């Protein structure tokens, strides 16, 4: 096949770089694309779109390669990869930052921190900004600063004809609405973003709590968690979880250590803490400490849902039973990610992120080292998900799961119909499609 018309760095099967280039963060995903194009600018993206259409090769859009189900990749597909587009420019006078689509979170955090700012991004340092913001974007600053998408001011997108489209509050506002929460790869290829920098910061309080080898703590954790979230100080955001032998929490608090300890008292009262770290540190140090927890790559299965009510004692007991049947002592868990606070400041209809009233996200996550173990981990997530699905409402698009029933309704809720018509406006030929993409209206 000839690649005339393609620009950027082209990688195809047989090239020395292909084996690594086709891999995603989740190494349990095995896809074999026909061609991978590493784009350096909007022109490369446009050329790739037009080439794929001319040759009848379906395309996928990849920035950081962290899609849980590998939907940014595909066998016999073209992958438009923006990971080398990583320029960052802070405008101190405007209090904004312009970010190219492939920028990873750690360099972004480091850059804005040098200018005295925080940023409402995620916790994994190698996630790219595109995958995060287009699905809404949660992290350990979410309750204080809102979703990543809530800071977005503008995005530039290449459409199905390779034309550059600017979307903001005043120009293509329907597309701008959709880009804030409807997930990546549905409407076109984003080349760059402009964000409002909301908060100056130096130090924050970093929280790390663990209850290792403590079944009693594990069994009481979720009850304490859901009660604590009610009227929780919005300056604190928490991620936590339970596994076979214990529980854990990581948090950022935009305040002092003494205030944090007061707020966290319900958790601190759970007996048997094996790690009790609550310290006032530079924001960037907190980012790096949490980021260091993530492996470079791993093989895993995950599925996440939104929680919008208290679970009963019986429901909490069922969740404990699920954990007890986990295939791994330490690498299978039920995780929880706090919402509320600033997320609820924006009304549900103002962006495509449907679940602003949710209290938190609950997810089943299981990882493995040997391929032979994969099936039992996937089975555990699948069985657990069937139960969690019955007690929750809606799924988080950034935690996609291939077995989600009626996935469009689950991810987009009451916004689905509007999104389908926006899809028709900007991608009428459904060029940007993948196994769980937004469909055209029927």
């Amino acid at each position: 096949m000839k690649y005339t018309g393609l620009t950027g760095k082209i990688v195809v099967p047989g090239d020395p770089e292909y084996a690594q280039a086709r891999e995603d963060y989740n190494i349990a995903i095995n896809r074999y694309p026909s061609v991978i194009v590493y784009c350096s600018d909007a022109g490369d993206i446009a050329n790739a779109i037009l080439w794929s259409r001319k040759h009848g090769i379906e395309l996928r859009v990849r920035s950081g390669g962290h899609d849980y189900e590998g939907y940014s990749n595909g066998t016999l597909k073209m992958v438009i990869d923006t990971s080398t587009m990583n320029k960052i420019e802070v405008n101190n006078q405007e209090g904004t930052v312009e970010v190219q689509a492939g920028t990873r979170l750690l360099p972004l955090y480091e850059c804005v921190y040098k200018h005295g700012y925080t940023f409402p991004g995620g916790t994994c340092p190698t996630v790219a900004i595109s995958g995060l913001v287009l699905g809404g974007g949660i992290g350990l600053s979410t309750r204080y600063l809102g979703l990543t998408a809530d800071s977005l001011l503008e995005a530039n997108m290449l459409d199905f004809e390779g034309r550059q489209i600017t979307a903001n509050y005043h120009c293509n506002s329907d597309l701008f609405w959709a880009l804030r929460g409807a997930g990546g790869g549905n409407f076109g290829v984003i080349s760059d973003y402009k964000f409002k920098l909301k908060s100056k910061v130096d130090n924050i309080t970093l929280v790390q709590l663990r209850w290792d080898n403590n079944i009693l703590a594990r069994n009481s954790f979720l009850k304490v968690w859901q009660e604590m979230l009610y009227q929780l100080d919005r300056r604190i955001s928490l991620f936590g979880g339970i596994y076979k032998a214990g529980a854990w929490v990581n948090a950022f608090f935009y305040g002092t250590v003494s205030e944090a300890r007061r707020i966290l008292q319900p958790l601190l009262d759970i007996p048997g803490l094996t790690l009790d770290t609550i310290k006032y540190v530079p924001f960037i140090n907190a980012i790096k400490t949490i980021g260091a927890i993530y492996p470079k790559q791993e093989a895993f299965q995950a599925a996440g849902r939104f929680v919008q009510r208290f679970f009963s004692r019986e429901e909490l007991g069922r969740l404990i039973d699920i954990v007890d049947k986990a295939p791994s002592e330490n690498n299978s868990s039920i995780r929880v990610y706090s919402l509320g606070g600033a997320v609820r400041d924006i009304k549900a209809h103002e962006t495509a992120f449907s679940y602003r009233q949710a209290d938190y996200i609950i997810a089943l996550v299981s990882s493995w080292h040997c391929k032979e173990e994969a099936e039992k981990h996937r089975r555990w997530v699948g069985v657990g998900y069937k139960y969690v699905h019955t007690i929750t409402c809606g799924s988080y698009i950034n935690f996609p799961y291939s077995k989600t029933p009626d996935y469009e309704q689950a991810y987009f809720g009451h916004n689905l119909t509007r999104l389908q018509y926006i899809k028709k406006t900007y991608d009428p030929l459904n060029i940007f499609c993948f196994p769980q993409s937004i469909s055209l209206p029927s």
Side-chain angles (χ1 to χ4, degrees), residues 330-351:
N330 298 310
N331 296 327
S332 304
S333 59
I334 292 180
R335 302 181 185 179
V336 285
Y337 308 83
S338 66
L339 294 173
V343 178
R344 293 177 179 158
D345 290 347
I346 294 177
K347 295 176 182 176
H349 67 272
E350 292 182 29
T351 70

Side-chain angles (χ1 to χ4, degrees), residues 10-70:
I10 302 166
V11 178
V12 297
D15 287 348
E17 309 101 309
Y18 181 79
Q20 183 175 351
R22 74 169 189 84
E23 282 192 346
D24 292 323
Y25 178 79
N26 184 356
I27 55 175
I29 303 295
N30 272 300
R31 304 283 190 267
Y32 295 87
S34 297
V35 55
I36 303 167
V37 182
Y38 288 94
C39 300
S40 60
D41 56 30
D44 290 345
I45 296 172
N47 290 338
I49 293 170
L50 296 176
W51 188 93
S52 73
R53 292 188 60 189
K54 179 180 178 180
H55 292 274
I57 297 178
E58 292 183 10
L59 57 80
R60 299 286 187 266
V61 184
R62 184 173 72 179
S63 53
H66 282 254
D67 187 287
Y68 283 8
E69 292 286 356

Side-chain angles (χ1 to χ4, degrees), residues 66-353:
H66 282 254
D67 187 287
Y68 283 8
E69 292 286 356
Y71 293 148
S72 60
N73 201 343
T75 298
L76 300 179
K77 306 294 190 289
M78 164 186 269
V79 173
I80 297 177
D81 190 297
T82 61
S83 61
T84 57
M85 297 173 61
N86 51 26
K87 293 178 183 176
I88 309 167
E89 186 173 343
V90 174
N91 185 321
N92 284 306
Q93 192 169 6
E94 289 186 355
T96 60
V97 60
E98 295 184 31
V99 185
Q100 285 190 307
T103 302
R104 307 294 176 129
L105 292 184
L106 181 56
L108 176 55
Y109 282 128
E110 289 176 325
C111 182
V112 298
Y113 181 71
K114 287 178 183 177
H115 292 267
Y117 290 100
T118 181
F119 185 81
T123 50
C124 180
T126 57
V127 163
I129 188 63
S130 274
L132 180 74
V133 64
L134 295 176
I138 64 167
L140 290 178
S141 299
T142 296
R143 288 175 45 78
Y144 183 54
L145 297 175
L147 303 172
T148 311
D150 297 342
S151 293
L152 185 63
L153 295 175
E154 185 171 281
N156 289 306
M157 185 186 83
L158 284 300
D159 74 359
F160 72 107
E161 293 184 313
R163 298 174 301 186
Q164 183 160 305
I165 295 174
T166 297
N168 55 40
Y169 287 104
H170 309 291
C171 179
N172 297 302
S173 58
D174 54 346
L175 176 63
F176 185 60
W177 174 87
L179 293 178
R180 289 173 290 157
N186 277 303
F187 308 101
V189 185
I190 311 299
S191 60
D192 55 273
Y193 305 88
K194 184 176 183 178
F195 293 94
K196 181 66 179 176
L197 292 170
K198 295 180 177 180
S199 176
K200 288 277 188 175
V201 70
D202 186 5
N203 285 19
I204 65 170
T205 296
L206 168 66
V207 178
Q208 291 179 284
L209 307 176
R210 290 192 70 91
W211 297 263
D212 293 310
N213 300 312
N214 189 331
I215 299 298
L216 292 177
R218 181 204 69 176
N219 291 351
S220 62
F221 176 82
L222 290 178
K223 180 177 183 295
V224 174
W225 166 273
Q226 67 177 3
E227 291 172 351
M228 182 180 163
L229 285 184
Y230 185 67
Q231 293 186 331
L232 182 66
D233 190 313
R234 67 165 50 206
R235 293 175 295 166
I236 192 167
S237 299
L238 311 95
F239 289 178
I242 59 174
Y243 56 102
K244 268 193 173 180
W248 58 271
V249 165
N250 296 322
F252 286 177
F253 176 60
Y254 286 80
T256 65
V257 169
S258 59
E259 287 180 290
R261 284 201 167 272
R262 176 182 56 78
I263 292 166
L264 292 165
Q265 199 59 52
L267 288 172
L268 297 175
D269 286 342
I270 299 176
L273 273 166
T274 52
L275 177 65
D276 179 0
T277 299
I278 303 176
K279 57 184 179 180
Y280 201 55
V281 299
F283 169 75
I284 195 62
N285 290 10
I287 288 291
K288 291 179 178 179
T289 298
I290 299 301
I293 297 169
Y294 290 85
K296 184 178 179 181
Q297 288 178 302
E298 62 179 333
F300 68 93
Q301 182 71 67
R305 297 276 292 174
F306 290 100
V307 179
Q308 303 193 49
R309 64 173 178 82
F310 269 37
F311 292 148
S312 68
R313 183 190 305 176
E314 290 73 21
E315 289 166 337
L316 293 172
R318 286 287 299 274
L319 295 173
I320 295 296
D321 290 342
I322 290 169
V323 171
D324 279 334
K325 295 173 184 175
S328 167
E329 290 294 320
N330 298 310
N331 296 327
S332 304
S333 59
I334 292 180
R335 302 181 185 179
V336 285
Y337 308 83
S338 66
L339 294 173
V343 178
R344 293 177 179 158
D345 290 347
I346 294 177
K347 295 176 182 176
H349 67 272
E350 292 182 29
T351 70
F353 187 87

Side-chain angles (χ1 to χ4, degrees), residues 362-423:
I362 188 168
L364 294 104
V365 183
S366 199
S367 63
W368 57 89
H369 299 291
C370 303
K371 290 182 180 179
E372 295 74 20
E373 298 177 349
E375 185 52 37
K376 64 181 181 181
H377 287 263
R378 291 190 174 115
R379 191 184 315 116
W380 178 77
V381 170
V383 171
Y385 180 81
K386 285 182 180 179
Y387 176 68
V388 169
H389 189 274
T390 67
I391 59 173
T392 53
C393 183
S395 296
Y396 182 38
I397 187 63
N398 281 1
F399 292 171
Y401 182 49
S402 63
K403 297 181 180 179
T404 300
D406 194 8
Y407 74 87
E408 285 184 289
Q409 190 64 45
Y411 294 138
F412 308 120
H414 61 271
N415 287 327
L416 175 58
T417 300
R418 183 179 178 186
L419 286 167
Q420 289 175 327
Y421 279 97
I422 293 171
K423 169 81 167 176

